[in-house]
């Protein structure tokens, strides 16, 4: 059996109100001797105090993650092509931040599925703990002077910020 290779360089991060899941993939068309990837399945589960990376063995964590996680997205066809830039797949998951709120933890992993239905192995689930994004800044002012650009704004916390760029 020739299995699709697992996603490489698997990363999960919070950007504002969104969780960004990214991984390196082989080209969607595949290479000789390798199955083409026809679907990327992103899996998520809530983290608990006892079931998280570092608290249990990697093997047990993977077993429990496979049993308890739920698919967040199954990207295939045109969705998969749009999500892949070069060899990097990027997916935005907006649900956890909106529903769970600050301090909640989630684990993510990704499975690749080949043309004949064979599944790749999972990368070890990655834990992310949510934080509330800071309020947006306001009052941005731009001033251009000879040889420099000055920016001034009020942060979402009411503090003033300044930045000068000199040429």
């Amino acid at each position: 059996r020739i299995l699709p290779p697992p996603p490489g360089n698997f990363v999960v991060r919070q950007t504002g109100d969104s969780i960004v899941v990214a991984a390196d993939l082989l080209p969607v068309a595949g290479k000789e001797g390798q199955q083409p990837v026809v679907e990327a399945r992103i899996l998520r589960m809530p983290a608990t105090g006892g079931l998280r990376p570092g608290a249990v063995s990697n093997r047990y964590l993977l077993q429990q993650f496979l049993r308890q996680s739920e698919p967040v997205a199954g990207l295939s066809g045109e969705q998969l092509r749009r999500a892949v830039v070069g060899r990097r797949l990027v997916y935005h998951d907006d649900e956890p931040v909106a529903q769970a709120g600050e301090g909640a933890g989630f684990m993510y992993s990704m499975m690749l599925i080949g043309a004949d239905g064979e599944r790749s192995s999972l990368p070890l689930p990655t834990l992310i703990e949510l934080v509330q994004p800071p309020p947006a800044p306001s009052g941005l002012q731009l001033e251009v002077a000879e040889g420099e650009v000055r920016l001034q704004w009020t942060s979402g916390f009411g503090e003033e910020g300044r930045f000068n760029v000199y040429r």
Side-chain angles (χ1 to χ4, degrees), residues 86-160:
R87 292 178 53 171
R88 190 105 177 122
L89 180 140
V90 178
Y91 175 78
H92 295 263
D93 185 12
D94 300 326
E95 188 178 313
V97 178
Q99 290 185 354
E102 186 169 358
F106 290 91
M107 291 186 288
Y108 284 85
S109 193
M110 182 185 300
M111 177 185 304
L112 303 179
I113 301 171
D116 67 356
E118 293 287 346
R119 299 172 179 197
S120 71
S121 59
L122 285 177
L124 196 60
T126 300
L127 173 69
I128 185 162
E129 293 181 351
L130 305 179
V131 295
Q132 198 62 24
S138 62
L140 178 63
Q141 297 175 355
L142 172 73
E143 183 180 331
V144 179
E146 189 173 322
E148 67 179 317
V149 175
R150 297 181 194 134
L151 297 174
Q152 187 171 340
W153 65 90
T154 303
S155 77
F157 301 107
E159 301 167 355
E160 282 200 16

Side-chain angles (χ1 to χ4, degrees), residues 69-99:
S69 66
E70 295 184 8
V72 175
L75 305 173
S76 61
E78 187 57 32
Q79 285 181 315
L80 180 60
R81 281 188 279 289
R82 281 196 314 259
V84 176
V85 177
R87 292 178 53 171
R88 190 105 177 122
L89 180 140
V90 178
Y91 175 78
H92 295 263
D93 185 12
D94 300 326
E95 188 178 313
V97 178
Q99 290 185 354

Side-chain angles (χ1 to χ4, degrees), residues 11-94:
V11 177
V12 179
R13 70 181 185 279
Q14 181 177 349
T15 303
D17 287 336
S18 187
I19 303 298
V20 179
V21 179
D24 292 336
L25 308 176
L26 287 176
V28 176
K31 294 182 178 178
E32 189 174 325
Q34 295 175 334
Q35 283 198 40
V37 173
V38 296
E39 183 181 353
R41 194 169 295 163
I42 299 164
L43 305 167
R44 174 186 73 210
M45 74 172 276
T48 62
L51 187 60
R52 53 181 54 220
V56 295
S57 73
N58 290 348
R59 183 177 177 181
Y60 182 74
L61 180 64
L62 277 170
Q63 287 173 344
Q64 294 305 310
F65 186 82
L66 278 170
R67 286 187 190 136
Q68 298 178 33
S69 66
E70 295 184 8
V72 175
L75 305 173
S76 61
E78 187 57 32
Q79 285 181 315
L80 180 60
R81 281 188 279 289
R82 281 196 314 259
V84 176
V85 177
R87 292 178 53 171
R88 190 105 177 122
L89 180 140
V90 178
Y91 175 78
H92 295 263
D93 185 12
D94 300 326

